[in-house]
Amino acid sequence: MDSPLAPNWLKPPADTAGVDPKIFSSGVARDNAQLTVQGIGVSELVEQFGSPLWVLDENDFRSRARDYVEAFNAAFESLCGGVDVFYASKALLTVQVAKWVRDEGLFMDTASGGELAIALRAGIEPSKIGLHGNNKSDAELETAITKSLGRIVVDSLPELQRVAQLAETLEMTANVMLRLTPGVNASTHQHIATAHEDQKFGLTMTPAPGAETSAAYQAVTFAAGCPHINLVGLHSHIGSQIFESAGFATAATRMLEFIAQLAAEQIAITELDIGGGYGIAYTEQDDPLAPSVIANNLAEHIGAETDRLGVACPRISIEPGRSIAGPAGMTIYTVGTTKTVWVEFEGNHYPRRYVAIDGGMSDNPRPVLYDADYTAVLANRISEAEPVLSRVVGKHCESGDIVVNSVYLPKDIDHGDLLVVPATGAYGHAMSSNYNMLPRPAIVAVKDGHAREIIRRETYQDLFSREVDL
Ligand code: LLP
């Protein structure tokens, strides 16, 4: 039944067993009623590796990574010789994942000393690593300088001065990109929009009232004149989970206009990073663009703008994270208990089914943090039962512990059934916690029909492992 409690975009599915290729990784199918990942049944995965379980379709991850490299290089080749694709490792990072990224020819964007340590441990060449962060520690900067990272993406004037000083003390040259805020208000959740003025990231391009130059301009002139800094280029990242090209285009225009202004003053900027943020489909309401479409749109825009401004096209780099890792991952949960509540709406009462699973906000805090929508399917069998409006909730001690806010699931879902929540590859494991002392699930990578653990499940012993006086 179509429930008035459901959001407008959600309709009861014609087939509750369906697997939407827009949302699920390419290796997911239905086989003998069960959901399979590259031919391996979800029941078999849970039997072998336990529940809940993060499953990563390695082939899908790799092919998405390759798609970005191929599409952007094809689109930009004649314009600027090609594009460096930096995988935004904050989306999902393990040593194995970093190796896949390296093998597929991508560079690596890190945002902390910890991410940097994992990238280095995976054997990624320092020249192919960038270090981000609005508040890097001296220790992080020192590592970045001594390892000669390809770029330290400097976020503020005081940080730039600290980098210069540290590099001088270390008798090194720091490769620096400057992160600017082009003033674009990206259409996404406020907590993941990053290029408008009133937020913490980046150097503003607008002079303060009464000032003649912007912080961005002051940083560029300082960096260009500093013997211990190699100014690699400029950077902007407008936000995350963005579907429209317009925001990226506006940001690129503002950056190129600034580059043209600097060129007129004999300051050559030869690289421009336009960040990541390409959206993915979490539910049927999302319509992401293919990398080739994004690449062609951006190349056309950047080509036209560099012509208009009479500047050479800088070498372009991008930083996709979610759109590589997200769709490749999924979470398998086991249903524990269910209940139905009756909710009043315009004078009538309608049922909402609560389906409680064995994980929750500790393995996926995104619904709590950003009101993010997800979907779920009954994965261990096919049911002919009527689809009912359901809410998939976790096992944490909070009523906000919701994994899927609204989804139609077969009415007979019961204890022991398996649910799969797709598109959890990005910012799931990456933002997971031990809230309520839940041990974190394992990550299993499936490649060419073979499954292996790349991160083992936490145990209660792990929960004691940092206690100092046991
Ligand atoms: N580059 C920079 C400088 C970034 O700050 C980010 C994301 C990216 C690239 C990658 O963006 P992506 O392609 O993954 O959208 N936890 C939030 C997302 C935070 C994104 C932070 N920065 C979420 O779960 O939606």
Side-chain angles (χ1 to χ4, degrees), residues 337-341 352-356 389-393:
T337 185
T338 66
K339 74 167 185 177
T340 298
V341 298
R352 187 194 313 276
R353 189 129 203 269
Y354 277 79
V355 177
L389 184 69
S390 305
R391 178 166 286 168
V392 180
V393 296

Side-chain angles (χ1 to χ4, degrees), residues 28 35 46 159 235 245 248 326 352 371 383 443 456 462:
V28 173
L35 211 70
V46 163
E159 183 179 70
H235 182 286
S245 305
F248 297 111
R352 187 194 313 276
D371 282 328
S383 166
I443 303 182
R456 68 159 171 81
D462 290 320

Side-chain angles (χ1 to χ4, degrees), residues 79-404:
L79 213 54
C80 62
V83 170
D84 300 320
V85 180
F86 284 71
Y87 170 64
S89 67
K90 69 203 78 184
L92 172 68
L93 184 59
T94 76
V95 170
Q96 285 306 317
V97 166
K99 287 181 176 171
W100 306 345
V101 166
R102 179 199 61 189
D103 293 350
E104 298 302 337
L106 284 79
F107 292 20
M108 177 83 83
D109 151 20
T110 63
S112 72
E115 288 181 359
L116 176 57
I118 293 189
L120 292 170
R121 181 68 191 262
I124 304 204
E125 275 173 50
S127 64
K128 295 184 173 175
I129 300 177
L131 178 67
H132 272 279
N134 70 303
N135 184 20
K136 304 172 198 74
S137 68
D138 285 347
E140 287 171 327
L141 289 174
E142 220 175 290
T143 308
I145 296 167
T146 48
K147 296 274 179 198
S148 295
L149 295 195
R151 52 176 72 167
I152 302 169
V153 186
V154 168
D155 212 89
S156 67
L157 272 170
E159 183 179 70
L160 184 60
Q161 280 149 5
R162 274 166 62 223
V163 169
Q165 204 127 60
L166 274 168
E168 186 178 354
T169 311
L170 295 163
E171 295 179 8
M172 303 273 304
T173 301
N175 299 317
V176 163
M177 249 194 177
L178 296 171
R179 176 160 177 178
L180 314 187
T181 46
V184 174
N185 205 347
S187 52
T188 186
H189 191 282
Q190 198 198 329
H191 292 169
I192 52 177
T194 54
H196 51 297
E197 287 293 322
D198 195 2
Q199 50 79 40
K200 69 173 182 173
F201 293 107
L203 292 143
T204 178
M205 298 170 79
T206 311
E212 278 192 5
T213 58
S214 66
Y217 182 84
Q218 291 161 33
V220 168
T221 47
F222 177 88
C226 176
H228 291 279
I229 286 181
N230 167 34
L231 180 57
V232 175
L234 301 181
H235 182 286
S236 82
H237 169 75
I238 61 170
S240 200
Q241 186 61 359
I242 294 166
F243 294 99
E244 296 126 47
S245 305
F248 297 111
T250 310
T253 291
R254 291 218 56 193
M255 298 296 283
L256 291 168
E257 283 171 348
F258 186 46
I259 287 172
Q261 178 200 331
L262 294 168
E265 298 175 29
Q266 316 308 321
I267 301 175
I269 302 292
T270 53
E271 285 196 46
L272 173 62
D273 191 310
I274 51 177
Y278 313 118
I280 67 164
Y282 287 102
T283 66
E284 63 201 56
Q285 66 185 323
D286 300 323
D287 284 308
L289 299 172
S292 58
V293 176
I294 303 169
N296 290 334
N297 287 349
L298 279 170
E300 198 181 316
H301 179 78
I302 289 175
E305 289 296 73
T306 46
D307 281 352
R308 175 177 74 83
L309 295 162
V311 287
C313 185
R315 185 166 177 92
I316 299 293
S317 48
I318 58 167
E319 297 172 334
R322 184 195 316 266
S323 52
I324 293 174
M330 68 210 85
T331 314
I332 311 177
Y333 297 107
T334 304
V335 174
T337 185
T338 66
K339 74 167 185 177
T340 298
V341 298
W342 290 84
V343 181
E344 192 185 337
F345 180 79
E346 293 179 350
N348 292 312
H349 284 81
Y350 299 92
R352 187 194 313 276
R353 189 129 203 269
Y354 277 79
V355 177
I357 46 81
D358 52 351
M361 61 192 287
S362 55
D363 61 74
N364 187 0
R366 298 195 66 259
V368 183
L369 286 172
Y370 320 113
D371 282 328
D373 284 314
Y374 281 84
T375 189
V377 289
L378 174 61
N380 55 312
R381 63 188 175 92
I382 287 177
S383 166
E384 299 300 325
E386 175 198 353
V388 293
L389 184 69
S390 305
R391 178 166 286 168
V392 180
V393 296
K395 62 179 283 150
H396 293 278
C397 297
E398 292 201 25
S399 55
D401 172 29
I402 292 167
V403 175
V404 184

